[in-house]
Amino acid sequence: MIPVKGFSGKKVAVLGLGRSGLATARALQAGGAEPVCWDDNPAAREAAEGEGLVCSDLRRHGAFENIATLIVSPGIPHLYPMPNPVVAAATDAGVPVDNDIGLFFRSFAGPEWHNYDTPPRVIAVTGSNGKSTTAALIHHILTEAGRDSQLAGNIGRGVLDIDPGGDGSVVVLELSSYQTELARALTPDVAVFTNLSPDHLDRHGGKGGYFAAKRRLFAEGGPDRAVIGIDEAEGAFLAGQLAEGPSDDRVIRISVARKLTGPGWQVFARKGYLSEYRKGRQTGSIDLRDIKGLPGAHNHQNACAAYAACRSLGLAPRVIEHALHSFPGLPHRSQIIAEADGVTFVNDSKATNVDSALKALSAFKKVRWICGGLEKEGGLEALNGAEGHVIKAYVIGREAAGFAMQLTADAQVCTTMTAAVEQAMADAQPGEVVLLAPAAASFDQYDNFEQRGDDFTAEVKKRL
């Protein structure tokens, strides 16, 4: 646990009592603060009270008298599409609003660090797609290299639930836009921006607000090194804003769209080969084509980002290459769940938006595509760019018929996962891939994308 500093003897309100909220309340208590907790869910309040935490209705008049700050869980809106009433009440009362990420960055460092040969480092990863895989891959590389590493944030453990930093240790954080937009302190040593595509636009008031939330990770604290994916205009703009000039190697540009040249520091992947250039000279190269845990160009982008982050900590290219080959991939993200009779079955339930689904489709040549669900803003037109990879689409979800009508590929309305898997397996031929890449949210039929991916996996395995 990381005890929260700066609030000893003060009352701190905690809104939302899920994983991060409970960890925050415990860490506040450990730092000498008095957490005052609230969640609209009675079961969540009961669980908190079972741990001895105090719950008080933060919606009542006068609830923010003598409250030092309000800590908000990631899923609770503070501005768009409209503020949560509790957040609005705190704002009206002049009470600062923060989250667990902000508390972590103000509390992680300790006086014992003066005795360390190498102070602990924090690598923070954000972006629209690939941030979970990139963060997990960085953690895997560091662990394989014998470095003390912890994975936390939007993946792994809550940030305040991890162990204090040791000599030479590294904390790898995956941070969503919900987390970066509100944190009052953001001071990573290395910050990574994978890419940007439209997502959560209602929460951020449009694409500009979404990018601004991501950009805060780089603008607020000024990381020692910034790893920036520049295949979108926003990433290229961000890299230009951070660099003092073409040779400023504090910014490491990454790409899977083109070869990068120039006097700075670049990492790019083309035709399955990762290359590192520094000061105009090649300093590293890795063949990514046979790494099963990282299929497709989107995973090659993740590999470039992880490679660059680890190189910034001084790891040798060959050490990183060795670790890449043992990376198993993440559940629900281009996860190979079975191979039978020449057919490969891949679970990419995390492909909840059009861009991530397009990248998943592009990773394979002959695809039986299971897709559909709760459609997001922007339509599905971009998916038709991958129609050359799709033999047939099998559409699930309550609005499967409407979803199917937007596809140019041959599409069959299946509605349920059971029907889609059954038909796709009946049709599949050797050399083909049955891929779940929904391009939609799961909430019309499932509680979350993990449950959807587990259902796909179970349906496949019971037929093998």
Side-chain angles (χ1 to χ4, degrees):
M1 181 186 295
I2 308 296
V4 174
K5 298 173 182 176
F7 294 101
S8 180
K10 298 179 181 179
K11 290 184 176 181
V12 177
V14 178
L15 179 61
L17 295 172
R19 183 191 66 159
S20 66
L22 284 174
T24 298
R26 297 184 197 111
L28 283 163
Q29 219 171 32
E34 182 182 338
V36 179
C37 305
W38 182 254
D39 193 298
D40 290 343
N41 185 345
R45 298 198 299 270
E46 184 178 348
E49 289 171 340
E51 293 190 23
L53 295 168
V54 174
C55 290
S56 179
D57 192 346
L58 296 174
R59 302 169 299 181
R60 63 180 173 79
H61 180 72
F64 283 94
E65 292 180 8
N66 301 316
I67 295 292
T69 193
L70 169 66
I71 307 302
V72 179
S73 292
I76 299 171
H78 65 278
L79 185 57
Y80 301 116
M82 65 176 57
N84 179 281
V86 173
V87 178
T91 302
D92 289 344
V95 172
V97 181
D98 202 351
N99 62 13
D100 61 333
I101 304 301
L103 295 181
F104 166 80
F105 277 112
R106 69 185 290 172
S107 304
F108 184 49
E112 68 277 8
W113 287 22
H114 294 296
N115 300 319
Y116 293 164
D117 292 330
T118 304
R121 310 297 269 311
V122 177
I123 300 176
V125 182
T126 195
S128 296
N129 300 309
K131 58 185 178 294
S132 295
T133 297
T134 299
L137 183 55
I138 294 169
H139 172 63
H140 175 79
I141 293 167
L142 292 168
T143 302
E144 289 292 295
R147 298 287 293 270
D148 178 7
S149 176
Q150 298 183 80
L151 182 62
N154 207 40
I155 187 174
R157 299 160 69 183
V159 290
L160 295 171
D161 199 34
I162 66 172
D163 300 326
D167 194 344
S169 67
V170 182
V171 174
V172 184
L173 302 180
E174 181 203 337
L175 299 181
S176 71
S177 58
Y178 291 5
Q179 294 168 309
T180 57
E181 69 175 344
L182 195 58
R184 295 174 68 90
L186 284 168
T187 54
D189 299 284
V190 180
V192 180
F193 178 88
T194 58
N195 50 58
L196 194 86
S197 61
D199 207 359
H200 311 302
L201 300 189
D202 58 337
R203 170 66 180 258
H204 298 294
K207 191 175 181 181
Y210 179 47
F211 175 53
K214 301 284 189 186
R215 183 182 175 279
R216 289 190 77 247
L217 180 63
F218 303 85
E220 294 297 313
D224 295 335
R225 279 258 158 64
V227 177
I228 310 291
I230 62 167
D231 289 340
E232 293 85 29
E234 292 85 0
F237 176 78
L238 179 60
Q241 280 198 310
L242 296 173
E244 292 295 330
S247 61
D248 186 353
D249 65 3
R250 293 174 303 168
V251 177
I252 308 175
R253 292 169 170 85
I254 63 170
S255 175
V256 290
R258 64 188 188 276
K259 178 179 179 179
L260 300 179
T261 59
W265 195 348
Q266 296 100 11
V267 179
F268 60 91
R270 295 183 71 202
K271 299 180 180 179
Y273 287 89
L274 180 152
S275 298
E276 176 190 6
Y277 276 75
R278 196 168 185 182
K279 297 180 179 178
R281 299 178 59 185
Q282 186 169 6
T283 53
S285 178
I286 298 175
D287 184 351
L288 301 173
R289 294 173 300 172
D290 295 327
I291 300 178
K292 282 198 168 185
L294 296 167
H298 62 304
N299 274 310
H300 293 173
Q301 183 183 57
N302 300 334
C304 287
Y307 177 95
C310 291
R311 288 287 286 137
S312 75
L313 294 185
L315 271 67
R318 292 294 162 247
V319 171
I320 299 172
E321 180 179 13
H322 176 76
L324 291 179
H325 280 277
S326 60
F327 181 63
L330 288 181
H332 313 295
R333 298 163 177 87
S334 294
Q335 177 191 18
I336 297 175
I337 59 169
E339 294 178 278
D341 299 325
V343 178
T344 303
F345 299 88
V346 179
N347 168 21
D348 203 333
S349 184
K350 185 61 171 66
T352 58
N353 60 44
V354 167
D355 186 66
S356 56
L358 182 61
K359 289 175 178 176
L361 289 168
S362 299
F364 308 101
K365 293 181 178 179
K366 298 179 180 179
V367 179
R368 302 278 175 181
W369 177 30
I370 298 177
C371 57
L374 189 62
E375 188 180 335
K376 294 187 175 181
E377 292 182 29
L380 306 175
E381 185 177 353
L383 288 169
N384 296 325
E387 62 182 358
H389 296 253
V390 178
I391 302 166
K392 186 175 180 180
Y394 305 81
V395 188
I396 64 173
R398 294 178 186 171
E399 304 297 329
F403 196 101
M405 287 178 63
Q406 298 181 64
L407 304 176
T408 57
D410 180 25
Q412 179 175 338
V413 174
C414 297
T415 307
T416 67
M417 186 69 75
T418 299
V421 170
E422 185 174 25
Q423 189 61 55
M425 291 183 74
D427 294 345
Q429 300 296 314
E432 296 177 355
V433 172
V434 175
L435 169 68
L436 170 66
S442 58
F443 305 125
D444 61 331
Q445 292 182 311
Y446 301 95
D447 290 338
N448 48 55
F449 73 84
E450 293 96 339
Q451 190 182 82
R452 177 172 58 190
D454 289 341
D455 191 21
F456 170 73
T457 301
E459 291 291 343
V460 169
K461 291 189 173 180
K462 77 183 185 183
R463 289 174 171 80
L464 294 179

